[in-house]
Amino acid sequence: MSTRISLLQSAEQAVRQRGYHGFSYADLAREIGIRKASIHHHFPTKADLGIALIERYNAAFFDQLKNIKDAEGTAADQLRAYLRLYRDALDNGEQVCLCVSLSAGRDHLSNEILDHLDQFHRDSLHWLEQLFERAKADGSMSLHAAPEAEASAALALVEGAQLLARASRDVTQFDQSTRALHARLSPNKPH
Amino acid sequence: MSTRISLLQSAEQAVRQRGYHGFSYADLAREIGIRKASIHHHFPTKADLGIALIERYNAAFFDQLKNIKDAEGTAADQLRAYLRLYRDALDNGEQVCLCVSLSAGRDHLSNEILDHLDQFHRDSLHWLEQLFERAKADGSMSLHAAPEAEASAALALVEGAQLLARASRDVTQFDQSTRALHARLSPNKPH
DNA sequence: GTCTATAATGGGATAGAC
DNA sequence: GTCTATCCCATTATAGAC
């Protein structure tokens, strides 16, 4: 595998486990087995690396959301898939979504990274809003508020649930936090 | 005001705005107008300062929760007060709850701080669980799941809603995220 | 593309005078 | 309790050989 990809993978895991300050070029160098000066050949500055990181992450993430939307199923099915995506990302409570980690400490982030972060939230809210519009139409779940509000609540819930799960290093904390939302979905794929 | 209190106030604001790495002794020194070496007289290490910070914060926070519980009103009223507490803490989307900020980057935190953080979550969940037990009894809101699950969902929601609000520097994002939960509460204090 | 060597900065922390 | 002066270390980044 290319050094560049190895660096991105290693850095992504580090940020999701320990935050943007949670890794250094020295750490990366040790992990993939080169000297830290060599990293600057691939990413001149840490900010460059950060931008490449979030661009790669967002592309992969919304690719998965597209797959969910393209699949057959009710809005409830798709919301279940969305929740599973966030749950699986936890990796036993060791790490959270890249954008949850970056949102947490917005300091020391370049404007370009902040823009990508905003984009992630906007796109997520848009995707969820469409989902809740469909839910309203197909009746696969009960709504308490307008689709925009339900979308915002769902995003806040999964992000908060990831924080709690990592805080306790216990993925079942995520399940506990999302149980009430699951209960509102018409049963198609019980587990 | 004593130097010690000034330091704690200044540090708390910094952590809640920018995270645990978001301030240095040099920053604090500049802000309150002493030299950074003098800070070590009050807090020998940054870890010591962190512990004092979270102890002070937790005490004040649960004091407020106690006031809410002691006040008259239904479970729905108390949940509304709880939500308002988190909303007001946002300060126009500039900062989040201290423990949300610390949860975000669990790295570089001493074990003693992590213990206080766990305590915060446990106590919060316990307080909310009792609240939802009361809600079940007084019928002031509709439950979708057992009180433990509702408590966990509520905590995840407010923490996530704070993250989203700060990410967009817009406190109305918090309102949007909590609208659906508000809609489940029997109307006593509409706004 | 990777290396060695070397800035240059900023962080937390200590000693000792006042 | 606050100061000056200093230390030690980690981190990002650069220059130039291979």
Side-chain angles (χ1 to χ4, degrees), chain B residues 4 7-9 11-12 15-16 20 23 43 46-62 97-103 106 109-121 123:
Chain B
R4 184 189 162 86
L7 286 168
L8 286 172
Q9 286 183 343
E12 179 183 320
V15 174
R16 291 175 58 187
Y20 189 70
F23 77 98
F43 304 101
K46 195 176 176 181
D48 293 323
L49 201 170
I51 291 164
L53 210 55
I54 194 168
E55 282 178 344
R56 192 179 89 115
Y57 185 85
N58 282 2
F61 182 83
F62 288 103
C97 164
L98 180 72
C99 291
V100 171
S101 191
L102 291 178
S103 291
R106 272 175 76 90
L109 298 180
S110 71
N111 283 337
E112 194 164 351
I113 292 186
L114 291 180
D115 286 345
H116 283 291
L117 201 49
D118 290 344
Q119 193 65 45
F120 176 85
H121 286 134
D123 289 349

Side-chain angles (χ1 to χ4, degrees), chain A residues 104 106 152 166-167 173 177, chain B residues 18 104 106 152 166-167 173 177:
Chain A
R106 272 175 78 91
S152 189
R166 191 184 51 173
Q173 182 66 50
S177 297
Chain B
R18 303 185 297 276
R106 272 175 76 90
S152 190
R166 191 186 49 175
Q173 183 67 50
S177 297

Side-chain angles (χ1 to χ4, degrees), chain B residues 25-61:
Chain B
Y25 272 29
D27 295 330
L28 288 188
R30 199 179 330 104
E31 224 173 301
I32 76 165
I34 59 173
R35 296 294 167 157
K36 65 175 184 169
S38 310
I39 302 179
H40 290 278
H41 172 75
H42 302 276
F43 304 101
T45 70
K46 195 176 176 181
D48 293 323
L49 201 170
I51 291 164
L53 210 55
I54 194 168
E55 282 178 344
R56 192 179 89 115
Y57 185 85
N58 282 2
F61 182 83

